[in-house]
Amino acid sequence: MERMARRRIFGTIVALALNCCQALYVGVGRADATGPTTGIQLFGMAKPSQVGTGLHLRLFARAFVFVDDVGSRSAFVSLDAGMVGHVLKKRALERVGMPELYNETNTIVSGTHTHSGPSGFLQHMIFQFAGSGWVPQTIDAMSNGVATALTRAHEDVEKQLALGRGRRVKIGATVLRNASINRSPSAYLANPEQERAAYGDDNVDTDFFAVGVYENGESLLQGLITWFAVHPTSMNNTNRLVSSDSKGYASSLVERERPGVVAAFASANLGDVTGNILGPHCLNTGKPCDFDHSTCPVDLPVRGETQRNEPCAAFGPGVDMFDSTRIIAQRHKRALDLLLDADDAEMRTIDGKISYRHTYVQMPHLEVRDWKTGALKGTLCDAALGDAFAAGTIDGSGMFDFTQNATSNNPLWPIVTNFLHKTTPEAVACQHPKTILLPTGNMSFPHPWAPSILPIQLVKIGPLVIAAVPTEMTTMAGRRLKAMLRGKFSESEPNVTVVVAGLSNEYADYTTTYEEYQVQRYEGGSTIYGPYQLDAYLQEFAHIADAMLNNEPSPRGPEPEDFSDELKERFWKRLNSLELESPPAGADFGDIIQESWNGSTPLHPGDVAVATFVGADLKNDLKIGGSYLEVQRFDNETVWTTVFVDADPETRISCEDKHTYQEVSVRFDVPNSLLPGTYRLVHHGSARKGRKFGKLQIQMFNGTSSSFPVAGLAG
Ligand code: ZN
């Protein structure tokens, strides 16, 4: 008792002392970054038939600007996107237009890695082949969203600087289990036993980090960043609705519970980690897949029983992918809530100086030395994808299934087949034991297929060190990077916290450890620069960490290429060139086609209401900052109040193409918490109505359903 009381008094004194001299100013901002939701292949699964038909959860950019007491500044932006590319970050910073304050060096832009965002924002050809090519509508929406969020965070922090009144920043860490599993455990097992033993039984990184931003002197929360390693692939490759997946869903849960708070759930070392925690099972037999190869027995007519990867898929923990997304999001939120409720020992107030280092590194042919001893390890190879890459993962089997795609009508296919197996003996030796499927580093027609210059970036905010990596590091790869940096910074400072900000600034596939690379699972097949790639990252991060510690500058390095202005839209047509739309005879845009309810029977929580409208292509207007739909409640006095919009998980909107118009369905899942009353569904659309002087004329329209009663929970 006495000890607890003493601790509380001590804590109060510390808190008072800290209140008197806050040293950090923190601005937060959020902006809509939703790109086209129809007609564009979703990015991540590389499945040509996975083309968007609507929206599950709107995509956002969430920005945080940190300024210390001498004016040093850094920004972190988390974007609901598959990843972030060099062009996206560059265009966003150009739009912000304050290069002295926000530039490539001090700003991190990190993708959450949702696999249900639109494609078309990465310039290198392999990624265009994996999506709908180059899509200006996607990259514009995403770079605008990042720029707007960052500008809002900037305005927020400038107000504090003008008043000389900063905010309190707390950081903490906890462990989150039961929200992730390793999808390549046989590769993980190749890591040294002693190293694995240091992390107990966990073959995934269970560290859950949080940064909380509070109004100074008060406990009012303003912003949150969390880092936890898991692929947001709860929405699987059968999904056709744009969605921010489990990470964005978690943001939505927190931001709705705490209005005004900007809550980013950012990506980390998720390379070999899935949220489909029921694990891989054979769709045909129901049994677990083969452990080493993630395959299932298939009986083929001529060949008899053979092992194939296609039937092996991981699911769970929900009854369907929407339910799994919700559950994984809720587990993120629960970990965060525990931290926010914890005492000062677990969430400690930080302050201190802000510093950053950034360098561009030419990866192919880089000489790699052990970061600690300086001993020569090897040389990086020209980028190449291995056979294991084509097999895909238990999150989406048979990605780029080249055997099945041989008859593809994709115009890029002949280019790819031309290069198949055309590779040099040097490249084969360099990439060993990877067998080269696509030597992307040597393919430059019509443009380069893989990046060769990568950004390496480190930001330090007091004791918080953020390593921004342009790749998907596996569990152990990320742990090695964190351990190296922790070791370096701990020499001069106690209690350093290191996080890996995944998929930041540019995208260059996966990074496994040297040992995992020998096993050549999907992640090893996608470690494009060869077996020493992780050691190269360790070497380069060690260099910029040393520069930071010694107060020296780091070299800028070679300028990365930007050929995005030369890119042609290959699979995507500009709105202007699409045919005009018109409603069916006798109907108007916004008319009701069908309603799922019968007006006299009340709906209950758990029920679903669907209204189908005569509509138009959703991508005619992205409704940035707005909504394609509203769920409205009748509040006496003829007033209808909006209760849900399209960014809410309770709603979905989807389209069925009828050639001259779309059948647009607005779906509402009645939640448990809903107030009994009278409700209706509203749709906001825009049709391609005509052309004037060659310019497309868009006609806005609205549709409103009949009303339906909702009763409380039965009983
Ligand atoms: Zn991934």
Side-chain angles (χ1 to χ4, degrees), residues 44 82-83 113 115 183 231 233 270-271 399 472 503 507 510 522:
M83 59 284 292
H113 203 35
H115 281 47
R183 67 185 190 186
H231 259 74
T233 44
L270 47 61
M399 292 194 215
E472 306 182 44
L503 300 118
Y507 183 64
Y510 285 71
Y522 174 79

Side-chain angles (χ1 to χ4, degrees), residues 661-677:
Y661 67 102
Q662 303 279 326
E663 275 190 17
V664 175
S665 294
V666 172
R667 169 179 167 141
F668 172 47
D669 288 72
V670 181
N672 285 339
S673 55
L674 197 72
L675 274 181

Side-chain angles (χ1 to χ4, degrees), residues 8 37 64 71 78 136 159 222 257 261 306 320 341 428 431 458 484 494 504 519 536 558 641 688 707:
R8 195 161 297 151
T37 55
F64 304 81
S78 177
K159 276 185 260 167
Q222 302 291 322
E257 189 179 281
V261 171
T306 175
D320 61 22
D341 291 342
V428 170
Q431 294 277 2
L458 209 52
M484 183 274 284
S504 293
V519 181
T641 308
R688 299 189 295 267
S707 62

